[in-house]
Amino acid sequence: MKPTTQCCLIFWCFCFGICNGSAPSQFVHSSPHFPDWKKLYFVYHWPVTVCKMSENDCNNPPMYWTIHGLWTDKAEDCNKTWHFNVTEIKDLLVDMRQYWPDVLHENRTKFWKHEWDKHGTCAATLESLNSQKKYFSKALELYEKLDLNSYLLKLGIKPGSTYYQLEAIKEALTSAYNVTPKIQCLPPEQGEEVQTIGQIKFCFTKEFFLRNCTESKVDSYSARGNAFFGTEELSLCNDTLTNYPSHVQLYK
Ligand SMILES: *[C@@H]1O[C@H](CO)[C@@H](O)[C@H](O)[C@H]1NC(C)=O
Ligand SMILES: *[C@@H]1O[C@H](CO)[C@@H](O)[C@H](O)[C@H]1NC(C)=O
Ligand SMILES: *[C@@H]1O[C@H](CO)[C@@H](O)[C@H](O)[C@H]1NC(C)=O
Ligand SMILES: *[C@@H]1O[C@H](CO)[C@@H](O)[C@H](O)[C@H]1NC(C)=O
Ligand SMILES: *[C@@H]1O[C@H](CO)[C@@H](O)[C@H](O)[C@H]1NC(C)=O
């Protein structure tokens, strides 16, 4: 679905390392109000699953992975005086609407405000993320570079009625990116036998190098929940059959 898909993975890795990794010590010291976080999560979610988890009506969710957010591993709501101002990202709105949509609420601005308040104000201790423009641009840039939608298609993993073994999805992604992302699922609902894939988190260093996500059953974010989308229902996927749904209605 993205036009700029051509660049191959090796070039991508190369470019990623050189372009983003070369600037040393780009961060500011953390004060007590700004917990010393260690890594960033770039979080994709699958709109159909987001819809499935919601009571809201959800018409025609996009059939591609969209951005949930760019999060730090520890901190939340770091600077309550730094208010979201959509005018600062006016140049990004075309991409924001396409790749960072809020499929549940009509006012998309609220989702972006929520992400900025909760995560952006913490990530902003990095010089490279210390404005709303920089934070949202960087997330869009990571979205494009990771290019998850194209990779999944190339790996033959497509939404629909075929169930996948979680392990197969994980191995495919690991071979494509050379790091293991965290994959979160909606547990089987009553009458269902399979879990439903919902989120994929890629882990980055503060220098924006991809890194392995350390496996941990206790996932601080899913434990703490996300009231905005009701994603507290998501947890680390089990190694079982996994649904990658293409329709909301079938499952309601
Ligand atoms: C907190 O937010 C204010 C804007 O209200 C900003 O001037 C200040 O630099 C921020 N502090 C940090 C450490 O990000
Ligand atoms: C929002 O950002 C714009 C552009 O930077 C600025 O002109 C405006 O004063 C800001 N609004 C508020 C309420 O801070
Ligand atoms: C959308 O939400 C933003 C942020 O909460 C708010 O400032 C704005 O007024 C809302 N817009 C509408 C049309 O309700
Ligand atoms: C991630 O872990 C795998 C397996 O342990 C390893 O082969 C790979 O090099 C690691 N990737 C990075 C970027 O550290
Ligand atoms: C994974 O299995 C555990 C133990 O059976 C269960 O509590 C949890 O809800 C399952 N998670 C998913 C995503 O199905």
Side-chain angles (χ1 to χ4, degrees):
M1 75 80 226
K2 293 222 48 174
T4 54
T5 312
Q6 310 327 333
C7 110
C8 75
L9 186 62
I10 295 190
F11 174 76
W12 178 84
C13 290
F14 176 77
C15 182
F16 221 47
I18 300 302
C19 308
N20 291 299
S22 50
S25 81
Q26 10 171 263
F27 21 12
V28 178
H29 281 290
S30 303
S31 78
H33 299 288
F34 298 87
D36 191 18
W37 52 271
K38 300 269 187 295
K39 62 185 180 217
L40 287 156
Y41 297 121
F42 181 86
V43 188
Y44 281 95
H45 57 189
W46 180 243
V48 175
T49 304
V50 174
C51 291
K52 188 175 140 94
M53 292 188 298
S54 167
E55 306 290 306
N56 288 26
D57 280 337
C58 197
N59 289 319
N60 296 317
M63 216 35 73
Y64 50 86
W65 289 83
T66 58
I67 303 174
H68 186 165
L70 178 61
W71 305 345
T72 61
D73 61 342
K74 286 207 195 108
E76 282 182 5
D77 293 312
C78 292
N79 191 346
K80 294 201 153 99
T81 67
W82 201 345
H83 301 296
F84 177 72
N85 176 354
V86 74
T87 312
E88 298 208 358
I89 58 165
K90 61 179 188 315
D91 300 343
L92 309 175
L93 291 180
V94 173
D95 284 347
M96 293 288 292
R97 287 190 194 106
Q98 189 167 1
Y99 306 127
W100 204 329
D102 179 347
V103 292
L104 299 184
H105 309 98
E106 258 176 48
N107 184 348
R108 309 158 183 274
T109 314
K110 277 194 184 156
F111 179 25
W112 303 332
K113 172 181 164 28
H114 169 85
E115 291 298 312
W116 169 257
D117 291 349
K118 188 167 173 184
H119 305 291
T121 56
C122 301
T125 50
L126 279 190
E127 197 196 320
S128 55
L129 300 175
N130 69 0
S131 73
Q132 295 174 44
K133 178 99 185 256
K134 286 189 197 172
Y135 173 75
F136 288 100
S137 306
K138 181 54 107 177
L140 290 167
E141 181 193 319
L142 296 177
Y143 180 85
E144 187 169 349
K145 284 182 168 169
L146 285 168
D147 203 10
L148 176 66
N149 291 291
S150 307
Y151 279 106
L152 285 173
L153 281 179
K154 273 185 225 156
L155 295 162
I157 299 167
K158 297 176 183 144
S161 51
T162 313
Y163 295 151
Y164 292 91
Q165 284 292 347
L166 194 268
E167 204 53 32
I169 299 178
K170 209 187 225 176
E171 274 170 17
L173 289 174
T174 303
S175 69
Y177 291 98
N178 193 35
V179 289
T180 306
K182 234 178 221 183
I183 310 179
Q184 292 182 307
C185 288
L186 190 60
E189 286 174 357
Q190 272 198 326
E192 285 183 340
E193 276 160 22
V194 294
Q195 60 188 354
T196 303
I197 194 167
Q199 286 198 145
I200 300 182
K201 291 180 178 179
F202 286 91
C203 298
F204 282 92
T205 65
K206 286 181 166 178
E207 294 80 20
F208 299 101
F209 285 113
L210 268 174
R211 52 165 284 173
N212 281 304
C213 297
T214 42
E215 280 298 342
S216 136
K217 285 281 169 196
V218 188
D219 187 325
S220 56
Y221 270 107
S222 51
R224 243 176 291 155
N226 184 324
F228 196 80
F229 279 121
T231 31
E232 68 271 15
E233 297 173 61
L234 289 174
S235 53
L236 214 55
C237 303
N238 290 313
D239 286 332
T240 60
L241 275 185
T242 307
N243 180 16
Y244 181 11
S246 56
H247 294 91
V248 184
Q249 293 82 353
L250 280 178
Y251 306 93
K252 276 218 158 159

